[in-house]
Amino acid sequence: MGRDPSPGADHIEVQIHPRRRGGSEPPLSPPSPGRRHSPPLNPTTTDERDHNFSLFKRWFPWLVPSFVVANIAIFIITMYINDCPKHSFPPSSCFASFFGRFSFQPLKENPLFGPSSATLGKMGALEVDKVVDKHQAWRLLSCIWLHGGVVHLLANMLSLVFIGIRLEQEFGFVRIGFLYLISGFGGSLLSALFIQSGISVGASGALFGLLGGMLSELLINWTIYANKFAALLTLIVIVVINLAVGILPHMDNFAHIGGFISGFLLGFVFLIRPQFKWVSQRNSRPVYAEHLVKYKHKPYQYVLWVISFILLLAGLITGLVLLLRGVNLNDHCSWCHYLSCVPTSKWSCKAEQLYCETTQMGNQLNITCLSNGISELFPLSDTGSSKAQRLCYGLCST
């Protein structure tokens, strides 16, 4: 998810580092492990055997492509509302100004080729103070449909196509739709509990939820897979690599972790498959009573379903209550911030705080960046609160 690099009202935090980016590159997705087609209970001819073992329904994937189209459409609308030439001073500072009102904010303000933080806030970006003080909890979901720029959008949409379409083909649009949305909500929730400044946008929490769902689906449907250990190892390596990328600066790994945990638990609930023999039995001719399988699922599948449902429900409710009460989990976990960024000699994990001083001089406003002393006069009529913040960021970035 993209977090804007400009803090506050009297200082700027525009942090457009993609807080939900899931990395600047699409998360890797493992190949589909081979399914083991066990012999039928009452095999006769080869043709009948093949007919009996079209076991699981294949769905036509339309929801995931619809999500991609919706994200692109919302980004276009966001850029239309942003209208950089109208809200920036001077208008020529906009990048790719030949796009007119669809031109991007100056790259010093948003290096992802996208809108301003103020516009993202209007469109429903996650702002913790508004969730807590104004009870706008809907921002926990609306933020997953917004992106900080073209780079951010392309990375997440490629990931969604790469991972989501296969899952929708296997499990249908209802289950994958709920998996995507609830995982996105879970990622936003955990991120808001740990990172409470700036704004956040992006779908990478939901995308990590799909990865988590793939892992739990493999575990709960363990007996129907061939080469299961190779598939499990491959998937774990991919998840670890993607989470490891999140400890770099300007990445919100809390959203990734929250989305992954939510998706992992949801996979046990939504992606459970019936026993192979039970499906085979229903598709074949009547068999002798001693070969009948009475239960649709194995006992361990029922146990995992119940435990996961309870943990997920309890976690989401508890997290939402804590957030609405204004709790900052960093106050209760002194080391947790290392899960999102590990400082080294090459970079710092602290967000840069930019402060400006404003002085009215007749019909002009003098804005001075306190970090470098650079100041400039701007027409008072053209400097509203949000625009003054952008101008401050521009001066401090000079």
Side-chain angles (χ1 to χ4, degrees):
M1 185 174 271
R3 181 174 276 280
D4 213 22
S6 60
D10 43 356
H11 61 278
I12 299 180
E13 184 178 272
V14 176
Q15 300 174 354
I16 301 274
H17 57 75
R19 185 179 172 194
R20 298 276 193 283
R21 282 167 59 181
S24 58
E25 299 179 357
L28 301 175
S29 177
S32 301
R35 298 205 183 273
R36 184 181 67 212
H37 291 262
S38 301
L41 296 175
N42 188 24
T44 53
T45 65
T46 302
D47 291 340
E48 182 179 354
R49 181 176 182 273
D50 292 340
H51 173 73
N52 288 342
F53 289 95
S54 53
L55 291 180
F56 303 114
K57 180 178 179 180
R58 299 285 290 180
W59 301 74
F60 177 77
W62 63 268
L63 184 64
V64 168
S66 298
F67 281 172
V68 174
V69 172
N71 276 276
I72 294 173
I74 291 172
F75 180 75
I76 293 173
I77 294 172
T78 302
M79 293 304 302
Y80 179 85
I81 294 174
N82 185 67
D83 194 1
C84 181
K86 181 179 180 181
H87 298 102
S88 296
F89 188 85
S92 59
S93 64
C94 299
F95 182 76
S97 56
F98 51 83
F99 285 135
R101 69 181 299 150
F102 292 97
S103 57
F104 308 119
Q105 291 299 120
L107 296 185
K108 289 182 178 180
E109 179 181 341
N110 185 345
L112 300 177
F113 307 105
S116 67
S117 58
T119 301
L120 291 171
K122 292 178 183 177
M123 293 293 293
L126 177 56
E127 297 180 78
V128 176
D129 57 339
K130 291 184 178 179
V131 174
V132 175
D133 299 331
K134 299 183 180 181
H135 302 289
Q136 295 179 356
W138 52 268
R139 289 179 178 270
L140 293 166
L141 272 177
S142 62
C143 65
I144 70 175
W145 301 97
L146 299 170
H147 289 84
V150 174
V151 175
H152 190 194
L153 177 68
L154 287 178
N156 278 346
M157 292 306 98
L158 287 173
S159 301
L160 179 56
V161 169
F162 195 55
I163 300 172
I165 286 183
R166 185 185 75 81
L167 286 174
E168 187 179 352
Q169 286 175 333
E170 293 194 15
F171 296 98
F173 68 93
V174 174
R175 288 188 276 185
I176 298 308
F178 277 113
L179 176 62
Y180 182 87
L181 293 175
I182 298 175
S183 296
F185 178 84
S188 299
L189 184 58
L190 186 65
S191 181
L193 286 168
F194 281 99
I195 303 178
Q196 302 195 341
S197 60
I199 69 170
S200 300
V201 292
S204 61
L207 295 173
F208 270 80
L210 296 182
L211 282 176
M214 292 175 69
L215 179 58
S216 55
E217 188 271 330
L218 173 61
L219 295 175
I220 199 169
N221 302 319
W222 184 254
T223 59
I224 69 173
Y225 281 105
N227 302 320
K228 58 192 70 176
F229 288 104
L232 178 63
L233 180 61
T234 301
L235 187 52
I236 289 176
V237 169
I238 290 170
V239 170
V240 169
I241 290 175
N242 279 278
L243 289 176
V245 171
I247 66 174
L248 297 175
H250 311 307
M251 303 287 285
D252 178 16
N253 220 24
F254 288 117
H256 302 165
I257 295 171
F260 178 80
I261 293 175
S262 299
F264 182 72
L265 295 175
L266 282 167
F268 291 120
V269 177
F270 287 149
L271 307 185
I272 185 173
R273 287 195 184 278
Q275 294 188 60
F276 186 94
K277 290 183 179 180
W278 186 88
V279 178
S280 174
Q281 177 179 289
R282 289 172 61 89
N283 292 336
S284 63
R285 295 184 306 178
V287 295
Y288 296 107
E290 60 266 21
H291 295 296
L292 290 177
V293 177
K294 296 181 180 181
Y295 300 103
K296 185 175 182 179
H297 299 289
K298 293 180 179 294
Y300 80 89
Q301 290 179 305
Y302 287 113
V303 172
L304 288 173
W305 193 99
V306 172
I307 293 175
S308 299
F309 181 79
I310 293 174
L311 289 176
L312 177 68
L313 189 62
L316 292 179
I317 293 175
T318 302
L320 188 58
V321 170
L322 291 176
L323 177 61
L324 294 178
R325 290 184 177 180
V327 174
N328 186 339
L329 290 187
N330 289 296
D331 297 334
H332 305 278
C333 181
S334 59
W335 56 269
C336 286
H337 62 279
Y338 292 116
L339 295 175
S340 188
C341 182
V342 177
T344 69
S345 59
K346 302 295 183 180
W347 63 69
S348 171
C349 293
K350 294 182 179 180
E352 182 181 3
Q353 303 287 308
L354 303 179
Y355 297 90
C356 285
E357 182 179 71
T358 59
T359 306
Q360 183 175 346
M361 303 176 64
N363 62 349
Q364 293 184 311
L365 189 69
N366 182 62
I367 301 179
T368 303
C369 175
L370 299 181
S371 61
N372 59 21
I374 298 177
S375 63
E376 193 168 339
L377 290 172
F378 301 95
L380 186 61
S381 58
D382 291 338
T383 51
S385 175
S386 60
K387 187 172 182 179
Q389 292 179 16
R390 293 196 297 268
L391 294 173
C392 174
Y393 179 84
L395 289 174
C396 292
S397 300
T398 303

